[in-house]
Amino acid sequence: MQPRYSGKVRELYDISDTQMVIVTTDRISAFDHILPTPVCGKGRVLNQLSNFWFGRTQHIIPNHIVDSRTENMPPFFHDDFFQGRCVLVKKLKMLPFEFVVRGYLFGKMWEAYKNKECFCNISLPAGYSLAQKLARPVLTPAIKHPVGHDEYVDMCQVEKELGVETTQYITKICFKLYLECSSYALSKGVIIADAKFEFGYDEKGVLLLADEIFTPDASRYWDADKYRVGISPASFDKQFLRDWLLQHQENGAFPFDQVPKDVLLRTGQLYQTCLHRLIGP
């Protein structure tokens, strides 16, 4: 069996006209580039965390998961490699947007803010510092592109594409997901600085939460004990890897094939720490 789609991290296998299996590999990407060396065990961490959050948020919005047990999938997925890294899901008609809720000023929004620019038509007052908590979370949508960077847009463009009512519903859901789950994470000593959500319609026209949620690949996780405003926070995601690449770039080029084993090992340990903090060993 061959995947019908192979992305930066995950592979999609068609099972029927209405279902598919998503396999989360150990591949890791940074700055839209897949590194040649994987991070051992990363896929299972992502899959377990995503399934955990999907389970905790079903009362907010239904999701695409059908089953996470490989024994209930075709025999191809019974191999040891697939254990803990597969999920059987509904096929959906995916929306062309992803929605990022930002609770702290960081990343691309911080870069825009430093340059006194609006971000997704959102203008923040003066006086914010790097990694500072926002007065209230903001929603920054982006158009998904199969290759290269996603394109950030404002909510007016989303409304034109999806309609006002659907856009308002998605906005409400995104904030509710972020606020409820970030509150839980904070009780475990973890700050969720931002989180990405994707949605799609099933065959009955019901809007479902899809893709992955609240994983270290789809969210920024910071150590609450070490968090300080004004500095890049200690994180439980691949920011550690990004920082190494930024420190070692030459003439704007990143040394993707020269990342030391200890950097990849430390990145994997951070993913594991995130999982244990939130769920337990």
Side-chain angles (χ1 to χ4, degrees):
M1 184 179 292
Q2 295 296 319
R4 70 167 172 83
Y5 172 79
S6 184
K8 294 174 185 174
V9 175
R10 289 173 299 162
E11 297 178 340
L12 310 183
Y13 291 80
D14 283 329
I15 301 303
S16 69
D17 291 339
T18 60
Q19 295 181 346
M20 64 181 179
V21 169
I22 299 176
V23 178
T24 308
T25 72
D26 290 340
R27 294 193 294 265
I28 190 166
S29 67
F31 303 110
D32 293 319
H33 188 97
I34 301 173
L35 272 66
T37 305
V39 174
C40 185
K42 170 179 174 283
R44 291 188 172 92
V45 170
L46 295 181
N47 192 54
Q48 190 172 345
L49 268 174
S50 193
N51 291 346
F52 168 77
W53 289 117
F54 274 128
R56 284 190 64 93
T57 57
Q58 291 182 87
H59 65 288
I60 298 175
I61 182 174
N63 58 66
H64 67 163
I65 290 182
V66 176
D67 206 323
S68 60
R69 297 165 295 182
T70 51
E71 61 265 29
N72 293 333
M73 301 177 197
F76 175 78
F77 300 100
H78 296 178
D79 185 88
D80 287 345
F81 168 79
F82 294 107
Q83 296 300 314
R85 62 175 76 243
C86 295
V87 64
L88 179 66
V89 302
K90 292 182 179 180
K91 287 183 179 179
L92 305 179
K93 181 181 179 182
M94 297 296 293
L95 300 185
F97 301 98
E98 64 178 32
F99 299 86
V100 179
V101 178
R102 300 172 186 271
Y104 294 74
L105 187 54
F106 202 74
K108 293 182 179 178
M109 193 170 191
W110 166 249
E111 295 300 321
Y113 182 79
K114 284 195 303 181
N115 294 325
K116 296 180 170 56
E117 299 171 351
C118 290
F119 189 76
C120 296
N121 206 29
I122 298 170
S123 179
L124 297 174
Y128 273 105
S129 300
L130 174 67
Q132 186 171 346
K133 186 176 182 179
L134 300 174
R136 61 180 60 86
V138 298
L139 185 59
T140 57
I143 299 174
K144 296 184 294 184
H145 293 302
V147 178
H149 296 284
D150 293 333
E151 176 188 353
Y152 283 99
V153 296
D154 60 43
M155 293 303 293
C156 290
Q157 187 162 340
V158 178
E159 287 183 353
K160 289 178 182 178
E161 181 82 18
L162 304 182
V164 174
E165 185 176 346
T166 298
T167 301
Q168 289 178 343
Y169 174 69
I170 289 173
T171 299
K172 177 182 176 182
I173 292 298
C174 286
F175 283 133
K176 193 167 185 178
L177 287 167
Y178 177 77
L179 291 172
E180 185 164 321
C181 295
S182 61
S183 176
Y184 169 83
L186 191 58
S187 73
K188 302 294 184 179
V190 178
I191 293 172
I192 302 179
D194 54 44
K196 174 181 71 71
F197 305 112
E198 296 190 37
F199 302 87
Y201 289 104
D202 68 9
E203 71 280 3
K204 296 180 181 178
V206 177
L207 189 68
L208 303 181
L209 186 60
D211 196 60
E212 61 179 332
I213 58 169
F214 295 113
T215 70
D217 276 8
S219 299
R220 282 190 174 90
Y221 280 108
W222 296 341
D223 188 337
D225 293 335
K226 298 179 181 178
Y227 168 72
R228 299 290 184 276
V229 174
I231 62 173
S232 184
S235 67
F236 297 122
D237 52 44
K238 57 184 175 183
Q239 190 62 44
F240 178 77
L241 171 61
R242 291 193 194 100
D243 288 344
W244 186 92
L245 289 167
L246 286 168
Q247 292 165 8
H248 292 83
Q249 66 177 325
E250 293 185 6
N251 301 318
F254 296 110
F256 295 112
D257 58 348
Q258 298 174 30
V259 178
K261 289 183 179 180
D262 65 314
V263 172
L264 295 174
L265 178 63
R266 178 58 180 157
T267 301
Q269 290 171 343
L270 290 169
Y271 276 67
Q272 291 284 349
T273 299
C274 182
L275 176 68
H276 294 161
R277 283 272 190 106
L278 294 169
I279 300 178

